[in-house]
Amino acid sequence: MELSSDEEEVHTFVQVISEKYNLENFPYAPGMGGVVLPSPPGSPVKNCLFLPSVLVLNYCGICKAGDRSHIASFCAHVVELDLSYNQIKDWGEICAIVSNIPNLDFLNLSMNPLSGADLEPSMAEDFSSLRRLVLINTHVSWDTVHTLTQHTPELEELFLCLNGYNTVSESQTSCPSLRLLQITDNQLQEWTEVRKLGLMYPSLHTLVLANNSLESVDDTQETLQWLFPSLRSINLNNSGLSKWEDIGRLNFFPKLEEVKAKGIPLLQPYTNQERRSLLLAQLPSILVLNGSAVSEAEREDAERFFIRYFHDCSQLEPPERYCIVHTHTHTH
């Protein structure tokens, strides 16, 4: 029984690149930075292909790999592959593609329905060259994430947004190469879950936790220095932080330079300028706040406002840093 072209050809990786990158569609291809490839023997492709090193194949309905030998022939030079918004449900099909692209550095699988798919460790070796991996809204399990990170020794950036996580499952093996983790738009509430991220990814420079329901930053200075020794940037936008103590604890990250903290309950009563000033006065080492660089003059103005505000609002208990700032501003 023959499979329809819609099922077997149009929706395979090979068929899509054959149609999208047919040389007839690129009359000026030789000057565009790609590679012109003749069709290999037995290929369904009638003409040469012009394949750039960055392939964008989103919204193409891809569900299968197609002929592996054709992938190897066409994609040896490819370094970035965007397969987002397709219909791939099986890691076996993904591995059939990736294993034939030896120089792949970046892979985007976002919006593919991978929630019930298992990835065997032997298959995960095909991803070993990756430095950046995007798994947004795939609902991959933590077991799959751990299998991938254990087999990607050069992985530097990992995107796990919109995956419905309300907990973090620990891995017995850390991923020391990871520098950036974006895990926005999940349902993480407890700091104990964030603590696990520090254990698994000890070299993080950037941690993006925006649009979670994180209620506190709940660790001692010693613990935060140990868990996140290299963290330089943290994004807590639209989290549930409601206490000045949580802002103060951000000073415990030994290398932190950038903070984003928009949309948190703690700051709702204030104007935008008041929010920025109150945050700056609490974070003396921060160089960038909410995307804007901090000048020394702005910091001094913020500290003066901070002192005046809590001096005038005697009914409010001032944050711990009030005494330090008060002493500093009166001795300079």
Side-chain angles (χ1 to χ4, degrees), residues 75-80 101-106 129:
C75 299
H77 66 293
V78 171
V79 294
E80 296 189 14
I101 309 179
N103 298 310
L104 195 64
D105 175 277
F106 169 86
S129 66

Side-chain angles (χ1 to χ4, degrees), residues 8 15 32 36-37 55 60 66 72 74 100 109 111 126 129 154 174 218 234 239 245 265 275 285 291 316 332:
E8 183 62 22
Q15 188 66 27
M32 294 172 63
V36 178
L37 299 167
L55 296 186
C60 291
F74 293 149
N100 288 289
L109 296 172
M111 312 297 173
D126 294 332
S129 66
E154 298 180 45
S174 67
D218 191 16
I234 190 167
S239 60
E245 289 85 351
R275 292 167 184 168
S285 300
L316 296 177
H332 287 75

Side-chain angles (χ1 to χ4, degrees), residues 7-21 45 49 51 55-58 60-68 70-72 74-76 78 80-83 86 88 93-94 96-98 100-101 104 107:
E7 289 294 324
E8 183 62 22
E9 294 182 358
V10 174
H11 296 297
T12 68
F13 176 81
V14 170
Q15 188 66 27
V16 168
I17 62 172
S18 300
E19 294 179 355
K20 181 171 181 177
Y21 294 105
V45 184
L49 297 183
L51 283 177
L55 296 186
V56 179
L57 301 173
N58 49 14
C60 291
I62 297 170
C63 58
K64 293 184 180 297
D67 191 302
R68 278 65 166 166
H70 293 159
I71 298 173
F74 293 149
C75 299
V78 171
E80 296 189 14
L81 176 59
D82 183 350
L83 289 172
N86 281 289
I88 306 173
E93 298 298 328
I94 298 169
I97 297 170
V98 171
N100 288 289
I101 309 179
L104 195 64
L107 177 63

Side-chain angles (χ1 to χ4, degrees), residues 160-305:
L160 298 175
C161 316
L162 290 163
N163 281 331
Y165 301 141
N166 52 32
T167 61
V168 174
S169 297
E170 288 188 69
S171 171
Q172 298 304 310
T173 306
S174 67
C175 181
S177 61
L178 199 69
R179 299 293 183 266
L180 180 150
L181 175 64
Q182 189 167 130
I183 191 166
T184 63
D185 294 280
N186 283 284
Q187 285 88 50
L188 302 178
Q189 293 187 354
E190 303 294 331
W191 184 257
T192 52
E193 305 305 321
V194 179
R195 189 181 298 149
K196 298 173 189 175
L197 299 176
L199 290 169
M200 293 190 295
Y201 311 123
S203 302
L204 279 181
H205 288 185
T206 303
L207 177 58
V208 186
L209 291 161
N211 303 330
N212 281 276
S213 302
L214 196 66
E215 296 173 347
S216 67
V217 178
D218 191 16
D219 262 321
T220 64
Q221 181 170 356
E222 183 181 14
T223 300
L224 289 176
Q225 288 176 339
W226 173 64
L227 286 174
F228 298 97
S230 302
L231 194 68
R232 287 171 166 77
S233 174
I234 190 167
N235 186 332
L236 295 163
N237 285 348
N238 301 314
S239 60
L241 300 184
S242 59
K243 298 178 181 178
W244 286 115
E245 289 85 351
D246 296 317
I247 301 301
R249 291 189 187 106
L250 298 179
N251 293 308
F252 296 162
F253 295 103
K255 294 187 178 180
L256 196 65
E257 298 175 347
E258 179 176 10
V259 169
K260 292 183 178 179
K262 292 182 177 180
I264 63 175
L266 174 66
L267 299 176
Q268 282 182 352
Y270 307 106
T271 66
N272 286 339
Q273 184 56 52
E274 288 171 342
R275 292 167 184 168
R276 185 170 176 85
S277 294
L278 292 171
L279 283 174
L280 272 182
Q282 290 262 60
L283 300 168
S285 300
I286 295 305
L287 303 178
V288 181
L289 178 63
N290 291 334
S292 298
V294 179
S295 68
E296 283 305 311
E298 183 186 21
R299 192 184 306 280
E300 289 177 7
D301 289 343
E303 290 179 347
R304 291 191 182 97
F305 172 79

